[in-house]
Amino acid sequence: MNAGEENLLKSISNDTLLDLTQRYGQSAFGFGPGQVTGSSGGRYPLTPAADFLHGQTGKSNESGGEQTSDDDDSFDPLDPRKRGSGFDDDKHGGPLSKKPKEQRSLRLSINARERRRMHDLNDALDGLRSVIPYAHSPSVRKLSKIATLLLAKNYILMQAQALEEMRRLVAYLNQGQSINSPIPTALAPFGQAAVYPFTGSALATHADKYSGTTASLFKHHNDKP
DNA sequence: TAGGCCATCTGGTCCT
DNA sequence: AGGACCAGATGGCCTA
């Protein structure tokens, strides 16, 4: 882990998590060990396990060319979300319009493959979104890619740390000490520092970098003027 | 209107 | 040779 990453990890703060909690509501962060927020929102209907499996199998299914030939995938130039730069569009006189038919065909094939690859990547990101703790509500804006990765990374770190604290607690109890004896300093913050171990605000920092403000990441869709 | 985010195209590189 | 991966470029949509 390099210094930048370390700084990032250390900087996920209680404040940031508190902020997320407030924005998404308590239910979105009602996760203890073993409890991931329910993905009952309409957008992420799969269970985490099922979705993970889907993510694992989806790539092989789709990339295997199960149903898509190179040129007949779901690309729709009229769909605003699927429109690209249009360089292969004769109407725009792109480079491909001047190339031999064979080269153009090859290019289209490569483009289709790349599109599928990116769709697989996005499917995997959706799967990741579905298992990290934030409000999976249709009224909440979907996490951006970068926010998804940052949140997931820190969620993993928090879980790992919580697990470690749990192990230490079990070891301590197994030593036969009275439960009424003073809790060691190391265990005193269990449930707080263990779950929210970091100080600073790297997520906010990165969110600011990529989104302008942290708040913009979690804005509600129906917050329209 | 500017900035953020995204999908797509494209050419280059690496791998099998 | 063909496919996967990557990064840059481009243009569209959305929001503050």
Side-chain angles (χ1 to χ4, degrees):
Chain A
M1 182 186 306
N2 62 37
E5 284 177 320
E6 196 159 5
N7 286 336
L8 173 64
L9 301 185
K10 287 177 179 174
S11 61
I12 296 302
S13 68
N14 296 352
D15 287 348
T16 299
L17 288 163
L18 215 55
D19 186 48
L20 295 175
T21 305
Q22 288 166 348
R23 291 176 193 282
Y24 293 139
Q26 294 296 327
S27 63
F29 282 83
F31 62 91
Q35 179 188 5
V36 176
T37 180
S39 51
S40 56
R43 187 168 162 68
Y44 304 100
L46 297 175
T47 64
D51 208 16
F52 176 72
L53 202 57
H54 166 76
Q56 295 296 303
T57 57
K59 180 175 176 59
S60 58
N61 284 344
E62 285 200 14
S63 295
E66 145 218 28
Q67 58 173 4
T68 57
S69 72
D70 281 333
D71 289 328
D72 83 344
D73 76 359
S74 63
F75 175 66
D76 177 4
L78 296 180
D79 184 339
R81 302 299 294 180
K82 294 179 178 177
R83 226 176 297 147
S85 62
F87 271 163
D88 67 341
D89 186 348
D90 288 340
K91 202 166 54 180
H92 294 90
L96 279 178
S97 63
K98 298 172 184 171
K99 293 182 177 177
K101 201 169 183 177
E102 195 171 323
Q103 274 190 35
R104 176 183 169 84
S105 172
L106 178 62
R107 226 320 134 189
L108 289 178
S109 168
I110 293 172
N111 290 351
R113 243 191 347 259
E114 176 66 6
R115 259 194 321 270
R116 267 198 313 275
R117 196 182 68 84
M118 296 310 295
H119 289 169
D120 288 342
L121 182 62
N122 289 336
D123 285 348
L125 273 168
D126 281 341
L128 188 56
R129 285 187 188 99
S130 72
V131 297
I132 59 179
Y134 81 103
H136 306 284
S137 158
S139 64
V140 176
R141 174 189 283 183
K142 190 172 77 169
L143 285 177
S144 69
K145 294 178 177 180
I146 184 69
T148 299
L149 293 175
L150 291 171
L151 206 54
K153 177 182 180 180
N154 289 289
Y155 182 52
I156 291 169
L157 289 169
M158 286 191 302
Q159 296 289 12
Q161 183 135 355
L163 184 59
E164 180 58 29
E165 293 289 343
M166 186 73 79
R167 285 187 177 131
R168 283 159 60 185
L169 179 59
V170 168
Y172 171 73
L173 293 176
N174 283 343
Q175 285 175 353
Q177 304 207 16
S178 166
I179 195 69
N180 291 325
S181 62
I183 296 178
T185 308
L187 296 176
F190 181 78
Q192 295 180 5
V195 178
Y196 307 121
F198 305 113
T199 58
S201 58
L203 180 57
T205 300
H206 281 254
D208 285 349
K209 177 179 177 182
Y210 289 101
S211 306
T213 65
T214 308
S216 70
L217 282 173
F218 312 114
K219 184 178 36 189
H220 287 241
H221 274 310
N222 53 9
D223 280 349
K224 292 180 179 175

